[in-house]
């Protein structure tokens, strides 16, 4: 029987194991750090977003604030911060992910009107 310790097979497996330790756990992790287009928008960029700020129903019952860090805070009646979570705007469409797992969406029909959850909210 031939000894593996001096065979080319041993060298191949050793090289393969060592090469595997030099590769990042996720190629997406490595590319994101070098590709600014794939990173989350910075707070400075979001501060320029046209839909940031307070959105309120005509009766004032629902107050929905879009924050610059892609978070929102929604008050209902006398209950401040009734819903909180993150949001993402694509064009004129907005998707919400509440911290409790609830999801919702809406559409900006013009610069000052948001249709969300059967409600009409206006910029304040």
């Amino acid at each position: 029987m031939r000894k593996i310790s001096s065979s080319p097979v041993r060298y191949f497996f050793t090289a393969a194991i060592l090469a595997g330790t030099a590769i990042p756990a996720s190629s997406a992790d490595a590319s994101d750090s070098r590709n600014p287009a794939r990173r989350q928008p910075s707070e400075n960029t979001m501060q320029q977003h046209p839909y940031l700020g307070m959105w309120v129903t005509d009766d004032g019952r629902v107050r929905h604030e879009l924050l610059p860090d892609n978070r929102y805070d929604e008050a209902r009646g006398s209950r401040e911060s009734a819903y909180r979570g993150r949001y993402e705007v694509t064009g004129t469409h907005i998707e919400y992910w509440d911290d409790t797992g609830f999801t919702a969406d809406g559409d900006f029909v013009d610069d000052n009107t948001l249709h969300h959850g059967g409600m009409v909210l206006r910029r304040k």
Side-chain angles (χ1 to χ4, degrees):
M1 183 176 223
R2 185 172 173 199
K3 275 178 81 174
I4 290 182
S5 62
S6 62
S7 75
V9 173
R10 176 178 172 256
Y11 294 116
F12 172 77
F13 283 117
T14 302
I17 290 168
L18 291 174
T21 61
I23 298 173
S26 165
S27 60
D29 292 341
S31 66
D32 282 352
S33 65
R34 285 178 251 139
N35 183 356
R38 292 190 56 144
R39 287 187 218 145
Q40 285 254 6
S42 71
E43 188 170 322
N44 289 338
T45 302
M46 288 307 299
Q47 288 175 352
Q48 305 296 324
H49 198 281
Y51 299 127
L52 288 180
M54 185 65 74
W55 297 83
V56 180
T57 55
D58 289 339
D59 63 4
R61 185 178 173 292
V62 177
R63 298 167 310 282
H64 193 126
E65 186 173 11
L66 299 179
L67 303 167
D69 60 354
N70 283 46
R71 302 277 302 165
Y72 72 92
D73 190 324
E74 183 175 307
R76 297 267 177 137
S78 62
R79 186 173 169 211
E80 296 297 323
S81 300
Y83 299 98
R84 288 181 176 172
R86 68 181 180 91
Y87 71 90
E88 184 176 304
V89 176
T90 306
T92 58
H93 185 76
I94 186 167
E95 296 278 338
Y96 302 93
W97 294 270
D98 187 83
D99 291 341
T100 64
F102 176 81
T103 61
D105 67 346
D107 292 290
F108 296 94
V109 295
D110 61 41
D111 289 345
N112 296 306
T113 309
L114 167 61
H115 289 184
H116 162 68
M119 297 176 285
V120 175
L121 294 97
R122 302 195 195 284
R123 180 187 302 278
K124 290 294 174 191

